[in-house]
Amino acid sequence: MERISWDQYFMAQSQLLALRSTCTRLMVGASIVRDKRIIAGGYNGSVSGGVHCIDEGCYVVDGHCVRTVHAEANALLQCAKFGVPTEDADIYVTHFPCLQCSKQLIQAGIKTIYYKEDYRNNEYAIQLFKEAGVSLKKVTVDYLAVDLNYREKQDYVDELLDRLSESKNTKEVEKLKERADVLFSASPNRN
């Protein structure tokens, strides 16, 4: 078996962090890395002890949920809280950072931003990164060992087994098999 790359590994860690998100609009995870070691992680969620979006819905102002602290900010704040320097570190984040997080990452001395998904990539943020000498690298997570669709697959297999036990319709069975082929293919994972 071939080992996954460092980029795949750290992005997979960020994807796992995103699963802790309490925001229903977008689940984001971030891992700050130095010398091939994770020094902090964060996900988007409410202020400690506060109301969570998953419990009472998002608190949206001007099209943005203001209840959450973004994943990148939470990771940076974790470093600040425990006195861990971020100068010349890298960050792996599941989605391209927003403008505010972009400015915070620059100020924190992050040297490379690895991201999985484009998400409202702000042109001014891109300009700021270029001016600050921060590298942007998109990471494709497509290794089969990093399966982001396991719940959908399990539900589908259960449905397939139930329907196959009841159906004699070969056309329906073929459609089900086609869907299974798509779910179990080695194509890049979806969110």
Side-chain angles (χ1 to χ4, degrees), residues 5 24 27 29 48 67 70 74 86 94 102 143 146 149 167 184:
S5 70
T24 57
M27 297 171 73
S48 296
R67 179 172 279 146
H70 289 190
N74 267 326
T86 55
T94 57
S102 297
Y143 195 75
V146 182
N149 299 316
S167 175
F184 290 96

Side-chain angles (χ1 to χ4, degrees), residues 23-83:
C23 185
T24 57
R25 299 181 78 205
L26 184 67
M27 297 171 73
V28 180
S31 301
I32 299 177
V33 174
R34 182 186 305 105
D35 299 324
K36 306 259 186 280
R37 300 290 180 261
I38 297 172
I39 61 173
Y43 53 87
N44 57 328
S46 299
V47 173
S48 296
V51 173
H52 295 286
C53 298
I54 57 174
D55 296 327
E56 294 191 15
C58 291
Y59 180 21
V60 179
V61 176
D62 295 329
H64 299 281
C65 180
V66 297
R67 179 172 279 146
T68 60
V69 178
H70 289 190
E72 304 93 323
N74 267 326
L76 290 172
L77 291 166
Q78 186 179 57
C79 286
K81 185 175 185 177
F82 295 107

Side-chain angles (χ1 to χ4, degrees), residues 19-181:
L19 295 175
R20 291 280 309 150
S21 173
T22 61
C23 185
T24 57
R25 299 181 78 205
L26 184 67
M27 297 171 73
V28 180
S31 301
I32 299 177
V33 174
R34 182 186 305 105
D35 299 324
K36 306 259 186 280
R37 300 290 180 261
I38 297 172
I39 61 173
Y43 53 87
N44 57 328
S46 299
V47 173
S48 296
V51 173
H52 295 286
C53 298
I54 57 174
D55 296 327
E56 294 191 15
C58 291
Y59 180 21
V60 179
V61 176
D62 295 329
H64 299 281
C65 180
V66 297
R67 179 172 279 146
T68 60
V69 178
H70 289 190
E72 304 93 323
N74 267 326
L76 290 172
L77 291 166
Q78 186 179 57
C79 286
K81 185 175 185 177
F82 295 107
V84 178
T86 55
E87 188 71 30
D88 294 327
D90 301 323
I91 191 165
Y92 287 79
V93 61
T94 57
H95 295 77
F96 192 89
C98 72
L99 179 58
Q100 293 305 316
C101 286
S102 297
K103 292 187 285 186
Q104 293 168 20
L105 294 169
I106 292 167
Q107 289 298 98
I110 299 294
K111 66 178 181 178
T112 305
I113 297 169
Y114 296 88
Y115 66 99
K116 181 175 154 261
E117 300 286 336
D118 289 304
Y119 183 73
R120 302 179 184 173
N121 301 23
N122 185 287
E123 288 300 319
Y124 184 53
I126 294 168
Q127 177 187 333
L128 289 174
F129 287 137
K130 186 175 180 178
E131 290 170 0
V134 175
S135 298
L136 297 171
K137 297 184 180 178
K138 190 168 185 179
V139 176
T140 302
V141 178
D142 59 3
Y143 195 75
L144 285 176
V146 182
D147 187 356
L148 305 179
N149 299 316
Y150 74 94
R151 284 189 182 133
E152 183 181 3
K153 289 177 182 180
Q154 182 63 57
D155 291 344
Y156 181 69
V157 169
D158 291 344
E159 175 190 347
L160 177 66
L161 294 173
D162 289 343
R163 290 170 99 183
L164 283 175
S165 66
E166 299 170 3
S167 175
K168 304 276 191 226
N169 185 336
T170 56
K171 286 184 181 181
E172 182 178 2
V173 171
E174 281 304 311
K175 286 180 184 178
L176 294 170
K177 286 181 181 179
E178 287 174 15
R179 183 167 174 216
D181 288 342

